[in-house]
Amino acid sequence: MTITRGMRMVAIVSVLLPAFAVAQEPEREKKIQRSDLPQAVEKTVVEQSKGATIKGFSQEEENGQTFYEVEMKVDGHSKDVLMDANGSVVEVEESVSMESLSPAVRTGLQAKAGDGKIVRVETLTKKGQVVAYEAKVMSNGKKSEIQVAPDGKPLDHEE
Protein backbone atom coordinates (compact mmCIF):
# COMPACT_ATOMS: atom_id res chain seq x y z
CA MET A 1 0.00 0.00 0.00
CA THR A 2 1.53 3.30 -1.01
CA ILE A 3 0.77 6.62 0.59
CA THR A 4 0.85 9.64 -1.62
CA ARG A 5 3.01 12.60 -0.76
CA GLY A 6 -0.10 14.72 -0.08
CA MET A 7 -1.50 12.19 2.37
CA ARG A 8 1.84 12.10 4.22
CA MET A 9 1.77 15.91 4.52
CA VAL A 10 -1.78 15.84 5.87
CA ALA A 11 -0.75 13.22 8.43
CA ILE A 12 2.31 15.22 9.52
CA VAL A 13 0.40 18.49 9.77
CA SER A 14 -2.46 16.90 11.73
CA VAL A 15 0.05 15.55 14.27
CA LEU A 16 2.21 18.67 14.56
CA LEU A 17 -0.41 21.41 14.39
CA PRO A 18 -2.01 20.73 17.80
CA ALA A 19 1.44 20.62 19.43
CA PHE A 20 2.37 23.93 17.78
CA ALA A 21 -0.90 25.52 18.90
CA VAL A 22 -0.24 24.51 22.52
CA ALA A 23 3.28 25.93 22.35
CA GLN A 24 1.92 29.27 21.09
CA GLU A 25 -0.87 29.65 23.65
CA PRO A 26 -0.92 32.96 25.49
CA GLU A 27 -1.20 33.10 29.24
CA ARG A 28 -4.17 31.17 30.57
CA GLU A 29 -6.40 32.47 33.30
CA LYS A 30 -9.07 30.45 35.03
CA LYS A 31 -11.49 31.28 37.82
CA ILE A 32 -10.88 29.37 41.03
CA GLN A 33 -12.34 29.17 44.52
CA ARG A 34 -10.70 30.61 47.61
CA SER A 35 -10.23 27.06 48.89
CA ASP A 36 -7.96 26.40 45.87
CA LEU A 37 -5.40 29.02 46.98
CA PRO A 38 -2.07 27.84 48.39
CA GLN A 39 -1.68 28.67 52.09
CA ALA A 40 0.93 31.38 51.45
CA VAL A 41 -1.34 33.08 48.90
CA GLU A 42 -4.30 32.88 51.29
CA LYS A 43 -2.23 34.65 53.95
CA THR A 44 -1.42 37.49 51.53
CA VAL A 45 -5.08 37.71 50.46
CA VAL A 46 -6.09 38.21 54.10
CA GLU A 47 -3.52 41.03 54.46
CA GLN A 48 -4.36 42.71 51.14
CA SER A 49 -8.14 42.50 51.43
CA LYS A 50 -8.63 44.28 54.77
CA GLY A 51 -11.60 46.60 54.36
CA ALA A 52 -12.35 45.28 50.86
CA THR A 53 -15.09 43.19 49.30
CA ILE A 54 -13.63 40.20 47.47
CA LYS A 55 -15.14 39.68 44.01
CA GLY A 56 -13.25 36.55 42.96
CA PHE A 57 -10.04 34.65 42.42
CA SER A 58 -8.17 33.41 39.39
CA GLN A 59 -5.09 31.39 38.61
CA GLU A 60 -2.95 31.99 35.55
CA GLU A 61 0.08 30.44 33.95
CA GLU A 62 2.64 32.71 32.36
CA ASN A 63 6.02 31.56 31.08
CA GLY A 64 5.68 28.32 33.05
CA GLN A 65 5.02 30.11 36.35
CA THR A 66 1.74 30.03 38.30
CA PHE A 67 0.20 33.25 39.58
CA TYR A 68 -2.92 33.97 41.62
CA GLU A 69 -5.10 37.06 41.46
CA VAL A 70 -7.69 38.40 43.86
CA GLU A 71 -10.23 40.89 42.50
CA MET A 72 -11.61 43.29 45.08
CA LYS A 73 -13.67 46.44 45.57
CA VAL A 74 -12.14 48.97 47.98
CA ASP A 75 -13.92 52.22 48.78
CA GLY A 76 -15.99 51.90 45.60
CA HIS A 77 -13.14 51.21 43.16
CA SER A 78 -11.54 48.03 41.85
CA LYS A 79 -8.23 46.65 43.05
CA ASP A 80 -6.61 43.48 41.66
CA VAL A 81 -3.61 41.94 43.41
CA LEU A 82 -1.42 39.45 41.53
CA MET A 83 0.71 37.09 43.63
CA ASP A 84 3.17 34.31 42.93
CA ALA A 85 2.71 30.84 44.44
CA ASN A 86 4.73 31.93 47.51
CA GLY A 87 2.25 34.72 48.24
CA SER A 88 4.59 37.53 47.19
CA VAL A 89 2.76 40.46 45.61
CA VAL A 90 3.90 40.79 41.99
CA GLU A 91 1.59 43.56 40.76
CA VAL A 92 -1.35 45.66 41.94
CA GLU A 93 -3.82 47.24 39.53
CA GLU A 94 -6.06 49.83 41.13
CA SER A 95 -8.62 52.02 39.39
CA VAL A 96 -8.28 55.77 39.84
CA SER A 97 -10.22 58.77 38.58
CA MET A 98 -8.92 60.96 35.76
CA GLU A 99 -9.25 63.94 38.09
CA SER A 100 -6.79 62.40 40.56
CA LEU A 101 -4.03 62.16 37.94
CA SER A 102 -1.30 64.72 37.49
CA PRO A 103 -1.69 67.00 34.46
CA ALA A 104 1.32 65.29 32.83
CA VAL A 105 -0.26 61.83 33.14
CA ARG A 106 -3.66 63.07 31.88
CA THR A 107 -1.97 64.73 28.89
CA GLY A 108 0.11 61.61 28.14
CA LEU A 109 -2.93 59.33 28.25
CA GLN A 110 -5.01 61.67 26.09
CA ALA A 111 -2.20 61.88 23.54
CA LYS A 112 -1.95 58.07 23.31
CA ALA A 113 -5.74 57.66 23.22
CA GLY A 114 -6.01 60.03 20.25
CA ASP A 115 -9.66 60.25 19.19
CA GLY A 116 -10.56 57.35 21.51
CA LYS A 117 -12.51 57.81 24.73
CA ILE A 118 -10.74 56.88 27.97
CA VAL A 119 -13.25 54.81 29.94
CA ARG A 120 -11.10 53.62 32.86
CA VAL A 121 -7.66 54.33 34.34
CA GLU A 122 -5.61 52.13 36.65
CA THR A 123 -2.31 52.44 38.42
CA LEU A 124 0.11 49.54 37.92
CA THR A 125 2.26 49.04 41.00
CA LYS A 126 5.24 46.70 41.27
CA LYS A 127 7.50 46.37 44.31
CA GLY A 128 5.50 49.10 46.04
CA GLN A 129 6.02 51.71 43.31
CA VAL A 130 3.71 52.92 40.56
CA VAL A 131 5.41 51.86 37.32
CA ALA A 132 2.69 52.88 34.87
CA TYR A 133 -0.80 54.19 34.34
CA GLU A 134 -2.99 52.01 32.15
CA ALA A 135 -6.15 53.22 30.46
CA LYS A 136 -8.94 51.32 28.73
CA VAL A 137 -9.85 53.18 25.55
CA MET A 138 -12.97 52.88 23.40
CA SER A 139 -12.46 53.80 19.76
CA ASN A 140 -14.84 53.01 16.91
CA GLY A 141 -16.58 50.40 19.07
CA LYS A 142 -13.33 48.61 19.91
CA LYS A 143 -11.61 48.46 23.29
CA SER A 144 -7.86 48.74 23.68
CA GLU A 145 -5.34 49.47 26.42
CA ILE A 146 -2.68 52.13 26.54
CA GLN A 147 0.03 52.84 29.09
CA VAL A 148 2.19 55.78 30.09
CA ALA A 149 4.99 56.14 32.62
CA PRO A 150 4.38 57.78 36.02
CA ASP A 151 5.60 61.07 34.51
CA GLY A 152 3.08 60.80 31.64
CA LYS A 153 5.69 60.02 29.00
CA PRO A 154 5.58 56.96 26.72
CA LEU A 155 7.05 53.76 28.14
CA ASP A 156 10.04 51.98 26.62
CA HIS A 157 8.09 48.72 27.08
CA GLU A 158 4.63 47.70 28.25
CA GLU A 159 4.36 46.81 31.91
Side-chain angles (χ1 to χ4, degrees):
M1 178 173 171
T2 59
I3 298 176
T4 68
R5 182 179 221 173
M7 290 176 71
R8 266 187 273 167
M9 287 302 290
V10 168
I12 290 170
V13 168
S14 65
V15 169
L16 294 179
L17 192 58
F20 179 75
V22 168
Q24 297 299 314
E25 281 182 11
E27 64 189 60
R28 291 190 150 226
E29 184 177 318
K30 67 178 182 177
K31 297 290 182 193
I32 60 171
Q33 299 299 311
R34 189 170 191 157
S35 58
D36 297 326
L37 299 174
Q39 188 174 359
V41 173
E42 170 63 25
K43 183 179 176 197
T44 303
V45 167
V46 169
E47 294 166 5
Q48 293 288 319
S49 65
K50 287 184 176 133
T53 302
I54 294 176
K55 296 294 189 183
F57 301 93
S58 59
Q59 176 182 331
E60 58 188 67
E61 302 290 327
E62 189 174 322
N63 300 323
Q65 195 172 359
T66 302
F67 295 96
Y68 298 88
E69 185 173 64
V70 57
E71 297 175 30
M72 304 177 277
K73 278 275 192 208
V74 181
D75 297 328
H77 67 272
S78 67
K79 180 178 180 180
D80 299 342
V81 179
L82 185 70
M83 298 151 282
D84 65 18
N86 297 318
S88 297
V89 175
V90 175
E91 181 178 85
V92 178
E93 294 181 8
E94 193 163 1
S95 61
V96 294
S97 68
M98 277 294 275
E99 298 77 34
S100 71
L101 302 174
S102 72
V105 171
R106 276 198 303 264
T107 300
L109 287 172
Q110 289 291 349
K112 282 197 90 171
D115 292 336
K117 180 180 187 239
I118 296 174
V119 293
R120 182 176 169 173
V121 180
E122 296 177 322
T123 57
L124 296 182
T125 304
K126 294 181 180 180
K127 298 180 182 173
Q129 288 209 276
V130 174
V131 296
Y133 288 91
E134 181 174 89
K136 311 293 188 252
V137 178
M138 186 66 91
S139 182
N140 297 323
K142 294 182 181 179
K143 288 183 184 176
S144 62
E145 290 183 350
I146 58 172
Q147 292 184 350
V148 296
D151 62 3
K153 295 186 176 152
L155 292 165
D156 293 335
H157 64 281
E158 294 281 309
E159 289 293 331

